[in-house]
Amino acid sequence: MVKLNFEKMNGLIPVIAQDFESGEVLMLAFMNQEAWDKTLETGRACYYSRSRNKLWLKGEQSGNVQNVKEIYVDCDEDTLILKVEQVGGAACHTGYKSCFYRKLNGKLKIIGEKIFDPEKVYK
């Protein structure tokens, strides 16, 4: 099994989640060793929430889980790409499919479609 390098960023590595079918970048998150182990064990994306300072199984509240289809490891073994099946259609906690739902063109313009209302999901 590959041993990832969690040393450079105080125990965390960046992880890009990408839609398995379309290739669209859905989000950027972080993993620690425990999240990495849980992801491998379950086949579902598990991250480390820096704001909550705890493990975060993607979709634990919203139901919008990420089933991991493929994992890519970079040359330094300190960054991952997860190709995922995004269950429920939305990766972003704001209700959009992708966290990258805005485009800068002089000003920010929303280019994504909202999938769910976060106020109803995260009571």
Side-chain angles (χ1 to χ4, degrees):
M1 179 52 64
V2 66
K3 177 143 175 58
L4 298 179
N5 184 347
F6 290 97
E7 310 272 324
K8 294 179 185 175
M9 293 181 60
N10 297 318
L12 300 176
I13 59 171
V15 182
I16 299 162
Q18 191 176 23
D19 185 278
F20 179 71
E21 295 289 327
S22 70
E24 180 178 9
V25 174
L26 300 175
M27 57 183 276
L28 170 74
F30 293 87
M31 281 187 185
N32 62 5
Q33 181 71 55
E34 187 178 4
W36 169 242
D37 293 342
K38 187 91 168 159
T39 297
L40 292 177
E41 173 190 324
T42 65
R44 294 171 94 178
C46 183
Y47 302 107
Y48 182 81
S49 171
R50 297 174 301 156
S51 59
R52 293 178 285 179
N53 200 29
K54 69 174 199 157
L55 280 190
W56 158 42
L57 181 61
K58 180 68 176 140
E60 62 192 345
Q61 284 186 297
S62 67
N64 296 313
V65 300
Q66 294 177 340
N67 295 320
V68 178
K69 299 294 191 178
E70 297 176 345
I71 299 174
Y72 293 82
V73 181
D74 81 328
C75 57
D76 294 324
E77 298 178 339
D78 64 359
T79 303
L80 299 174
I81 296 175
L82 299 183
K83 297 232 179 173
V84 301
E85 171 196 20
Q86 180 63 59
V87 176
C92 186
H93 73 283
T94 63
Y96 291 89
K97 178 180 180 183
S98 168
C99 293
F100 301 96
Y101 62 91
R102 301 175 294 176
K103 180 179 180 180
L104 182 61
N105 190 11
K107 61 181 180 176
L108 284 178
K109 179 182 178 185
I110 294 176
I111 58 168
E113 184 179 329
K114 196 166 254 200
I115 307 291
F116 70 86
D117 181 352
E119 289 186 21
K120 291 180 181 173
V121 173
Y122 306 111
K123 297 173 183 148

